[in-house]
Amino acid sequence: MRTRCLAIAVLLALAACSQSSGSDDPLVETASNLKNIESGTMTMSVTIAGKGGSTDDEVGFQLSGPFALPDEGALPLADLQYTQTRGADETIGRFIADGENAFVEVDGQAYVLPDDQTETFIGGPEAGEGDDILSSLDVSDWVEDPQISSDEDLNGEKVDKITGDLNVVEALNDLMSAAQSAGALDSFTPVEGEDRDQLESAVESASIEVLTGAEDRLLRRLVVEIDLGVPEDGEISGALAGLLDASFSFDLTIEKPNEDVEVSTPSDALPLDQLGT
C-alpha cells in the first residue's frame, strides 16, 4: 500500500513542484512548469534490480492512466492501473477517483476508501499549497553540462531532448525525500559529508534524459538510470544502502498534458472493510 501511495502522491504533487521562472534555460523552464501540468495520461515506473542476475533481487512498481489534479475541496480525477513486484511476486490493482470519492480495485472488485484515507488527496485553496511531497525536487540541479537536441518526436509531438551528466547524489536525495514525504519510507536523511563521497565512489554509470515540449516546455518524459557498485570502504549508512550493488531506474511519461480526461465511477463498489472477507 505504501508504494502505491507514493506513486499516486508523485502524480498529485506535480502542482507542488514550483521553482523560479523567467529563465530561458529549457531545463529550468521545464522544472518550473511542472506546476502548470493539471491533467494528462501518465506512466511511471521504478525498478531496483540486484546485479546477481536473479529476478528474486528485483523490486519495483508501474503506474499508468489518466489523471486531473483536484479543485479546492475535491478529490482528483484518476484511473490508475498499478503493478507492484517483489521478486516473483506480483500485485496488480487499480486506483480510481471521480472527484468525490476514491476507490481501490482488487481482483476486479472495487472498494470505497474511507475519508481518513483520502484526506491527503483533497485539493487545497491553491494547487500544491501545503503539499511539499516534491517541493524540494529540482531536476535542473540533477543535470550537469546539459546538452539539448531539438526537433525530436514523441508520440507525434515535437519535443526537445535534454541530456547531460547526472548528479547522482542530488537525484537520489530528492527522490528519497519524496518517498519519505509520501510515506513510502519511515525516515530518510539526505546523503552528505563522507556518505556523499562514498555514494559518488560507488557510481559505475548514470544517465538522465528529459523530453520537454518544444513550444510549451511541459515535461513529457523523465528517465533516470543509475548503476551502483560498492563504495570504496564497502559501507554507506541510511536508506540508500539498499541501492548498493544494484541498478536503479525511474521513468515518468506524461502524454497529452492539460487535455480533458474522463473517469467512470465504479457501479458495484463495496466498503473497504469487506476487502478480504
Side-chain angles (χ1 to χ4, degrees), residues 103-141:
F103 311 82
V104 291
E105 185 178 282
V106 180
D107 296 330
Q109 175 62 57
Y111 300 87
V112 183
L113 291 178
D115 291 345
D116 62 354
Q117 293 195 32
T118 63
E119 291 176 353
T120 58
F121 303 139
I122 295 176
E126 295 180 10
E129 183 173 323
D131 185 354
D132 63 351
I133 292 174
L134 292 183
S135 61
S136 62
L137 185 150
D138 187 351
V139 178
S140 60
D141 278 350

Side-chain angles (χ1 to χ4, degrees), residues 199-244:
L199 180 58
E200 289 175 345
S201 74
V203 177
E204 295 182 347
S205 65
S207 65
I208 182 169
E209 179 179 284
V210 178
L211 298 181
T212 180
E215 296 184 358
D216 58 23
R217 287 290 178 253
L218 294 178
L219 179 69
R220 296 307 199 277
R221 193 177 185 194
L222 169 62
V223 182
V224 172
E225 302 279 355
I226 302 170
D227 280 333
L228 294 175
V230 178
E232 292 177 350
D233 67 1
E235 295 182 0
I236 189 171
S237 60
L240 293 182
L243 298 181
L244 296 180

Side-chain angles (χ1 to χ4, degrees), residues 24-76:
D24 292 329
D25 185 315
L27 187 59
V28 175
E29 281 190 85
T30 301
S32 179
N33 282 340
L34 283 173
K35 65 182 182 295
N36 297 325
I37 298 177
E38 298 181 350
S39 63
T41 299
M42 61 94 70
T43 301
M44 180 170 63
S45 65
V46 175
T47 304
I48 301 172
K51 294 188 176 180
S54 171
T55 56
D56 292 339
D57 297 329
E58 183 171 312
V59 297
F61 70 83
Q62 182 175 32
L63 186 79
S64 63
F67 70 92
L69 296 176
D71 294 327
E72 179 181 352
L75 286 165

